[in-house]
Each structure stands twice: as structure tokens, then as C-alpha cells.
Amino acid sequence: MLDSTQLNNYRENGYCVIENFKTLQQCQQLQTRAGKIVEEFSADDISVFSTSEQQRNADDYFLSSGDKIRCFFEQEAIGDSGEIKVEKSRAINKLGHAMHQQDAVFRQFSTDSKLEQICQQLGFVDPRLLQSMYIFKQPRIGGEVNIHQDSTFLYTEPMSCVGFWFALEDATLENGCLWGMPGGHKTPLEKIMKRRDNDIGIEFTQLADNHYSESDFVPLQVSAGSLIFFDGRFPHFSHANRSAKTRHAYTLHVIEGSAEYPRSNWLQREDQQSFPSFEQLRAM
Ligand code: FE2
């Protein structure tokens, strides 16, 4: 799947772009399915207010989403008194975090044999699909995502997380494309996000101070169907989307099955199942 130049570039820069990895039809299928999930979602299922009791509910909604399909709101879609200010289809920030397992259309998209080949080439012995997210980056209100490394949120010992980021629509400077720091995966992991011991909310443990400068980042503008995959320590961010266009993307995260997966990671499966392999997902 990857030639030696692509593999070397990945090792050197921490990321790799493959254009036309998915067809426009496959991108469209995923978008249609995501739209349907949002349509069927009742906003009453989730509290969007910000009082402390409701904050606890929101935390729990997030922390228990590891083996489910849930909808998360765009911050700017919610008014001061908790009302939803835009139509539902434009109010959702993302879906998470187990569409790759729970939904047939997402499952098929996620179990692409080309992905498994890439995992093997990157050195995975037993790749496990940990998490999926569908990101809408809504027109005008699509929020910014600050500089981060994905291993902060999906931590294994030794670190093994790799993120696969699929552009379902053209991702441009205008609609908030990904930005990344070439070579930044060689910097230390800056922090780890952990569940609190009482499972209420999360906290961060600072490990290093990487003093990122935005001038070290380059825009990763890609057309629909492109795949960007990157090391769990690759620093990246995206600006808010102030344009009139959406910027739909789908992400998958893979970890090594033999690596230790600490109980302090936010993502714990309530169903007590282990994280599935490509093969297990295909057999579902
Ligand atoms: Fe990320």
C-alpha cells in the first residue's frame, strides 16, 4: 500500500497524505448515514446546560460513549440558557465514538483492507480499532480545535496510537483544514488526559512543555477522499470554520493490541468487550 518514500516520510514527519484513498461515492455514503443518525437523534436525550449538575450529566454522556454512537453539540450552537440556536442538522459538532462497530455503513468504511495493510506497514502486530469520530465542522460555527497530540487522549504503554483522518469533503484554509507540525511527533507527549478516580469528569497530567509555535505548523489542505494518517504524538489543530461550507471528516484511531491500555484512559467500554480487530469487525 505504502511505498518506501511514503513510509520514510511518515517516519520523518509523523504524517502521510494519500489522495483518492476513498471514492467520492464512499464519502457520500458516509455523509448520508451520518445525516440519518443525526436526524434520528433526539436532542432531549442530552443535557446541554452548564449548571454543575448538568455538567456532570454531560461528562457522563461523554465518558460512557466509548462503545456507542452519540451526538455532541457544537458549543456555539447553544445559547446562554441552553437553547439550541440553529437547526439540529447544523448544531452537531461530532458523532462518537464507536460507529466503526455499531453501524454497518461505518463498519464497512472502517474495515477497508487497505487500512489494515497500512497498519501492518507501520509495524502493528495486532491492530485494534479503538475509536471513531465523525466531525461536521459546521458552517460559521464549527469550533476550533487547539494544538494537541492524540496520544494525550488515547494513551497506551508503550505509545501506539495512530490516527486516520478521512476528508469526506475538500478541507481548505477557508473551511478549517487540519494543520500539523512536520517532525513534531518526535517531541515528548505533553500531557495525558485521565478519568478522575471517581469516574466523574477528567483531568490532565502535564508531562512536558513543548512550547508550540503556530509558525511551525503547515496547513494540510486535501480534497475529498484523501486520507491523512499520523502518529499519536503528531501535534495538530484546526481553526474554526467561519465559511459557509461544511468540512465533514471521519477519524479512526488504532492501537496495538499487546500494548497496555490504562484504566485511566477516558475511553472505557461499558460492554466490557475488548477493542475489535479488523477481522472481528468484518465478521459482525
Ligand atoms: Fe486530534
PDB file of all heavy atoms in Angstrom, residues 178-189:
ATOM      1  N   LEU A 178      -7.070  20.680   8.547  1.00  0.00           N
ATOM      2  CA  LEU A 178      -6.108  20.286   9.570  1.00  0.00           C
ATOM      3  C   LEU A 178      -4.784  21.034   9.352  1.00  0.00           C
ATOM      4  O   LEU A 178      -4.401  21.291   8.206  1.00  0.00           O
ATOM      5  CB  LEU A 178      -5.871  18.781   9.396  1.00  0.00           C
ATOM      6  CG  LEU A 178      -5.635  17.878  10.600  1.00  0.00           C
ATOM      7  CD1 LEU A 178      -6.767  17.976  11.598  1.00  0.00           C
ATOM      8  CD2 LEU A 178      -5.489  16.430  10.107  1.00  0.00           C
ATOM      9  N   TRP A 179      -4.126  21.368  10.441  1.00  0.00           N
ATOM     10  CA  TRP A 179      -2.749  21.883  10.390  1.00  0.00           C
ATOM     11  C   TRP A 179      -1.887  20.946  11.225  1.00  0.00           C
ATOM     12  O   TRP A 179      -2.323  20.465  12.275  1.00  0.00           O
ATOM     13  CB  TRP A 179      -2.656  23.296  11.003  1.00  0.00           C
ATOM     14  CG  TRP A 179      -3.285  24.395  10.210  1.00  0.00           C
ATOM     15  CD1 TRP A 179      -4.610  24.561   9.925  1.00  0.00           C
ATOM     16  CD2 TRP A 179      -2.609  25.504   9.604  1.00  0.00           C
ATOM     17  NE1 TRP A 179      -4.799  25.697   9.182  1.00  0.00           N
ATOM     18  CE2 TRP A 179      -3.589  26.307   8.970  1.00  0.00           C
ATOM     19  CE3 TRP A 179      -1.265  25.917   9.540  1.00  0.00           C
ATOM     20  CZ2 TRP A 179      -3.266  27.482   8.285  1.00  0.00           C
ATOM     21  CZ3 TRP A 179      -0.947  27.085   8.864  1.00  0.00           C
ATOM     22  CH2 TRP A 179      -1.946  27.856   8.236  1.00  0.00           C
ATOM     23  N   GLY A 180      -0.658  20.682  10.771  1.00  0.00           N
ATOM     24  CA  GLY A 180       0.201  19.776  11.522  1.00  0.00           C
ATOM     25  C   GLY A 180       1.622  20.289  11.568  1.00  0.00           C
ATOM     26  O   GLY A 180       2.031  21.121  10.755  1.00  0.00           O
ATOM     27  N   MET A 181       2.380  19.770  12.523  1.00  0.00           N
ATOM     28  CA  MET A 181       3.768  20.192  12.712  1.00  0.00           C
ATOM     29  C   MET A 181       4.700  19.073  12.218  1.00  0.00           C
ATOM     30  O   MET A 181       4.886  18.069  12.919  1.00  0.00           O
ATOM     31  CB  MET A 181       4.012  20.463  14.202  1.00  0.00           C
ATOM     32  CG  MET A 181       5.419  20.889  14.538  1.00  0.00           C
ATOM     33  SD  MET A 181       5.557  21.059  16.340  1.00  0.00           S
ATOM     34  CE  MET A 181       7.335  21.187  16.494  1.00  0.00           C
ATOM     35  N   PRO A 182       5.249  19.218  11.001  1.00  0.00           N
ATOM     36  CA  PRO A 182       6.129  18.170  10.483  1.00  0.00           C
ATOM     37  C   PRO A 182       7.278  17.891  11.450  1.00  0.00           C
ATOM     38  O   PRO A 182       7.956  18.814  11.903  1.00  0.00           O
ATOM     39  CB  PRO A 182       6.641  18.757   9.163  1.00  0.00           C
ATOM     40  CG  PRO A 182       5.605  19.757   8.764  1.00  0.00           C
ATOM     41  CD  PRO A 182       5.107  20.342  10.057  1.00  0.00           C
ATOM     42  N   GLY A 183       7.451  16.623  11.784  1.00  0.00           N
ATOM     43  CA  GLY A 183       8.515  16.230  12.712  1.00  0.00           C
ATOM     44  C   GLY A 183       8.127  16.374  14.175  1.00  0.00           C
ATOM     45  O   GLY A 183       8.868  15.950  15.066  1.00  0.00           O
ATOM     46  N   GLY A 184       6.967  16.957  14.419  1.00  0.00           N
ATOM     47  CA  GLY A 184       6.547  17.219  15.801  1.00  0.00           C
ATOM     48  C   GLY A 184       6.262  15.958  16.605  1.00  0.00           C
ATOM     49  O   GLY A 184       6.184  16.004  17.842  1.00  0.00           O
ATOM     50  N   HIS A 185       6.134  14.826  15.917  1.00  0.00           N
ATOM     51  CA  HIS A 185       5.893  13.558  16.635  1.00  0.00           C
ATOM     52  C   HIS A 185       7.128  13.118  17.409  1.00  0.00           C
ATOM     53  O   HIS A 185       7.068  12.187  18.198  1.00  0.00           O
ATOM     54  CB  HIS A 185       5.484  12.467  15.640  1.00  0.00           C
ATOM     55  CG  HIS A 185       6.541  12.125  14.651  1.00  0.00           C
ATOM     56  ND1 HIS A 185       7.122  13.079  13.829  1.00  0.00           N
ATOM     57  CD2 HIS A 185       7.155  10.957  14.343  1.00  0.00           C
ATOM     58  CE1 HIS A 185       8.037  12.494  13.074  1.00  0.00           C
ATOM     59  NE2 HIS A 185       8.065  11.223  13.358  1.00  0.00           N
ATOM     60  N   LYS A 186       8.258  13.817  17.150  1.00  0.00           N
ATOM     61  CA  LYS A 186       9.487  13.470  17.893  1.00  0.00           C
ATOM     62  C   LYS A 186       9.581  14.244  19.207  1.00  0.00           C
ATOM     63  O   LYS A 186      10.491  14.007  20.003  1.00  0.00           O
ATOM     64  CB  LYS A 186      10.717  13.743  17.017  1.00  0.00           C
ATOM     65  CG  LYS A 186      10.772  12.817  15.787  1.00  0.00           C
ATOM     66  CD  LYS A 186      11.915  13.184  14.853  1.00  0.00           C
ATOM     67  CE  LYS A 186      11.896  12.280  13.617  1.00  0.00           C
ATOM     68  NZ  LYS A 186      12.836  12.738  12.580  1.00  0.00           N
ATOM     69  N   THR A 187       8.661  15.177  19.414  1.00  0.00           N
ATOM     70  CA  THR A 187       8.622  15.882  20.702  1.00  0.00           C
ATOM     71  C   THR A 187       7.945  14.961  21.719  1.00  0.00           C
ATOM     72  O   THR A 187       7.222  14.038  21.345  1.00  0.00           O
ATOM     73  CB  THR A 187       7.819  17.196  20.604  1.00  0.00           C
ATOM     74  OG1 THR A 187       6.489  16.906  20.164  1.00  0.00           O
ATOM     75  CG2 THR A 187       8.466  18.171  19.620  1.00  0.00           C
ATOM     76  N   PRO A 188       8.180  15.210  23.005  1.00  0.00           N
ATOM     77  CA  PRO A 188       7.557  14.335  24.003  1.00  0.00           C
ATOM     78  C   PRO A 188       6.034  14.496  24.019  1.00  0.00           C
ATOM     79  O   PRO A 188       5.504  15.479  23.503  1.00  0.00           O
ATOM     80  CB  PRO A 188       8.139  14.833  25.336  1.00  0.00           C
ATOM     81  CG  PRO A 188       9.072  15.927  25.038  1.00  0.00           C
ATOM     82  CD  PRO A 188       8.975  16.282  23.596  1.00  0.00           C
ATOM     83  N   LEU A 189       5.363  13.511  24.609  1.00  0.00           N
ATOM     84  CA  LEU A 189       3.929  13.668  24.852  1.00  0.00           C
ATOM     85  C   LEU A 189       3.778  14.741  25.926  1.00  0.00           C
ATOM     86  O   LEU A 189       4.380  14.649  26.994  1.00  0.00           O
ATOM     87  CB  LEU A 189       3.301  12.350  25.321  1.00  0.00           C
ATOM     88  CG  LEU A 189       1.789  12.396  25.482  1.00  0.00           C
ATOM     89  CD1 LEU A 189       1.093  12.611  24.135  1.00  0.00           C
ATOM     90  CD2 LEU A 189       1.267  11.123  26.141  1.00  0.00           C
TER      91      LEU A 189
END
